[in-house]
PDB file of all heavy atoms in Angstrom:
ATOM      1  N   ASP O 186     -18.393 -24.475 -15.319  1.00 96.00           N
ATOM      2  CA  ASP O 186     -16.938 -24.505 -15.242  1.00 96.00           C
ATOM      3  C   ASP O 186     -16.404 -23.086 -15.017  1.00 96.00           C
ATOM      4  O   ASP O 186     -16.552 -22.215 -15.859  1.00 96.00           O
ATOM      5  CB  ASP O 186     -16.374 -25.087 -16.547  1.00 96.00           C
ATOM      6  CG  ASP O 186     -14.861 -25.207 -16.492  1.00 96.00           C
ATOM      7  OD1 ASP O 186     -14.263 -24.712 -15.527  1.00 96.00           O
ATOM      8  OD2 ASP O 186     -14.288 -25.800 -17.431  1.00 96.00           O
ATOM      9  N   TYR O 187     -15.773 -22.901 -13.858  1.00 96.00           N
ATOM     10  CA  TYR O 187     -15.281 -21.575 -13.500  1.00 96.00           C
ATOM     11  C   TYR O 187     -14.235 -21.062 -14.484  1.00 96.00           C
ATOM     12  O   TYR O 187     -14.261 -19.893 -14.877  1.00 96.00           O
ATOM     13  CB  TYR O 187     -14.663 -21.604 -12.103  1.00 96.00           C
ATOM     14  CG  TYR O 187     -15.660 -21.785 -11.001  1.00 96.00           C
ATOM     15  CD1 TYR O 187     -15.796 -22.995 -10.353  1.00 96.00           C
ATOM     16  CD2 TYR O 187     -16.468 -20.728 -10.590  1.00 96.00           C
ATOM     17  CE1 TYR O 187     -16.703 -23.163  -9.325  1.00 96.00           C
ATOM     18  CE2 TYR O 187     -17.383 -20.882  -9.569  1.00 96.00           C
ATOM     19  CZ  TYR O 187     -17.498 -22.105  -8.945  1.00 96.00           C
ATOM     20  OH  TYR O 187     -18.408 -22.260  -7.939  1.00 96.00           O
ATOM     21  N   LEU O 188     -13.334 -21.940 -14.883  1.00 97.00           N
ATOM     22  CA  LEU O 188     -12.250 -21.481 -15.734  1.00 97.00           C
ATOM     23  C   LEU O 188     -12.748 -21.118 -17.126  1.00 97.00           C
ATOM     24  O   LEU O 188     -12.208 -20.225 -17.782  1.00 97.00           O
ATOM     25  CB  LEU O 188     -11.147 -22.549 -15.794  1.00 97.00           C
ATOM     26  CG  LEU O 188     -10.369 -22.678 -14.481  1.00 97.00           C
ATOM     27  CD1 LEU O 188      -9.316 -23.770 -14.592  1.00 97.00           C
ATOM     28  CD2 LEU O 188      -9.718 -21.353 -14.108  1.00 97.00           C
ATOM     29  N   GLU O 189     -13.797 -21.814 -17.559  1.00 97.00           N
ATOM     30  CA  GLU O 189     -14.388 -21.473 -18.857  1.00 97.00           C
ATOM     31  C   GLU O 189     -14.992 -20.076 -18.803  1.00 97.00           C
ATOM     32  O   GLU O 189     -14.863 -19.280 -19.740  1.00 97.00           O
ATOM     33  CB  GLU O 189     -15.477 -22.518 -19.204  1.00 97.00           C
ATOM     34  CG  GLU O 189     -15.845 -22.553 -20.657  1.00 97.00           C
ATOM     35  CD  GLU O 189     -14.620 -22.596 -21.559  1.00 97.00           C
ATOM     36  OE1 GLU O 189     -13.718 -23.433 -21.334  1.00 97.00           O
ATOM     37  OE2 GLU O 189     -14.566 -21.754 -22.477  1.00 97.00           O
ATOM     38  N   LEU O 190     -15.628 -19.790 -17.682  1.00 97.00           N
ATOM     39  CA  LEU O 190     -16.217 -18.470 -17.476  1.00 97.00           C
ATOM     40  C   LEU O 190     -15.124 -17.400 -17.476  1.00 97.00           C
ATOM     41  O   LEU O 190     -15.270 -16.325 -18.072  1.00 97.00           O
ATOM     42  CB  LEU O 190     -16.951 -18.460 -16.129  1.00 97.00           C
ATOM     43  CG  LEU O 190     -18.181 -17.564 -16.000  1.00 97.00           C
ATOM     44  CD1 LEU O 190     -19.191 -17.868 -17.074  1.00 97.00           C
ATOM     45  CD2 LEU O 190     -18.793 -17.735 -14.612  1.00 97.00           C
ATOM     46  N   THR O 191     -14.037 -17.726 -16.825  1.00 98.00           N
ATOM     47  CA  THR O 191     -12.904 -16.808 -16.768  1.00 98.00           C
ATOM     48  C   THR O 191     -12.372 -16.524 -18.172  1.00 98.00           C
ATOM     49  O   THR O 191     -12.096 -15.383 -18.545  1.00 98.00           O
ATOM     50  CB  THR O 191     -11.777 -17.406 -15.914  1.00 98.00           C
ATOM     51  OG1 THR O 191     -12.284 -17.689 -14.611  1.00 98.00           O
ATOM     52  CG2 THR O 191     -10.611 -16.451 -15.806  1.00 98.00           C
ATOM     53  N   ARG O 192     -12.249 -17.588 -18.949  1.00 97.00           N
ATOM     54  CA  ARG O 192     -11.780 -17.455 -20.329  1.00 97.00           C
ATOM     55  C   ARG O 192     -12.707 -16.525 -21.118  1.00 97.00           C
ATOM     56  O   ARG O 192     -12.265 -15.673 -21.886  1.00 97.00           O
ATOM     57  CB  ARG O 192     -11.728 -18.852 -20.964  1.00 97.00           C
ATOM     58  CG  ARG O 192     -11.204 -18.872 -22.366  1.00 97.00           C
ATOM     59  CD  ARG O 192     -10.539 -20.203 -22.713  1.00 97.00           C
ATOM     60  NE  ARG O 192      -9.142 -20.012 -23.042  1.00 97.00           N
ATOM     61  CZ  ARG O 192      -8.130 -20.679 -22.486  1.00 97.00           C
ATOM     62  NH1 ARG O 192      -8.376 -21.568 -21.571  1.00 97.00           N
ATOM     63  NH2 ARG O 192      -6.891 -20.432 -22.841  1.00 97.00           N
ATOM     64  N   LYS O 193     -13.990 -16.715 -20.903  1.00 96.00           N
ATOM     65  CA  LYS O 193     -14.987 -15.892 -21.598  1.00 96.00           C
ATOM     66  C   LYS O 193     -14.788 -14.409 -21.289  1.00 96.00           C
ATOM     67  O   LYS O 193     -14.897 -13.557 -22.165  1.00 96.00           O
ATOM     68  CB  LYS O 193     -16.390 -16.341 -21.153  1.00 96.00           C
ATOM     69  CG  LYS O 193     -17.449 -16.278 -22.240  1.00 96.00           C
ATOM     70  CD  LYS O 193     -18.780 -16.813 -21.744  1.00 96.00           C
ATOM     71  CE  LYS O 193     -18.939 -18.301 -21.974  1.00 96.00           C
ATOM     72  NZ  LYS O 193     -20.288 -18.783 -21.583  1.00 96.00           N
ATOM     73  N   ILE O 194     -14.500 -14.133 -20.048  1.00 96.00           N
ATOM     74  CA  ILE O 194     -14.294 -12.741 -19.630  1.00 96.00           C
ATOM     75  C   ILE O 194     -13.038 -12.158 -20.262  1.00 96.00           C
ATOM     76  O   ILE O 194     -13.062 -11.102 -20.880  1.00 96.00           O
ATOM     77  CB  ILE O 194     -14.176 -12.641 -18.090  1.00 96.00           C
ATOM     78  CG1 ILE O 194     -15.515 -12.991 -17.443  1.00 96.00           C
ATOM     79  CG2 ILE O 194     -13.738 -11.245 -17.670  1.00 96.00           C
ATOM     80  CD1 ILE O 194     -15.436 -13.166 -15.939  1.00 96.00           C
ATOM     81  N   LEU O 195     -11.945 -12.888 -20.123  1.00 97.00           N
ATOM     82  CA  LEU O 195     -10.658 -12.341 -20.543  1.00 97.00           C
ATOM     83  C   LEU O 195     -10.535 -12.228 -22.061  1.00 97.00           C
ATOM     84  O   LEU O 195      -9.813 -11.373 -22.567  1.00 97.00           O
ATOM     85  CB  LEU O 195      -9.514 -13.191 -19.981  1.00 97.00           C
ATOM     86  CG  LEU O 195      -9.406 -13.182 -18.455  1.00 97.00           C
ATOM     87  CD1 LEU O 195      -8.246 -14.052 -17.992  1.00 97.00           C
ATOM     88  CD2 LEU O 195      -9.227 -11.760 -17.937  1.00 97.00           C
TER      89      LEU O 195
END
Side-chain angles (χ1 to χ4, degrees):
Chain O
D186 183 352
Y187 290 105
L188 289 179
E189 199 48 50
L190 211 55
T191 303
R192 183 152 241 128
K193 215 177 270 185
I194 293 170
L195 295 180

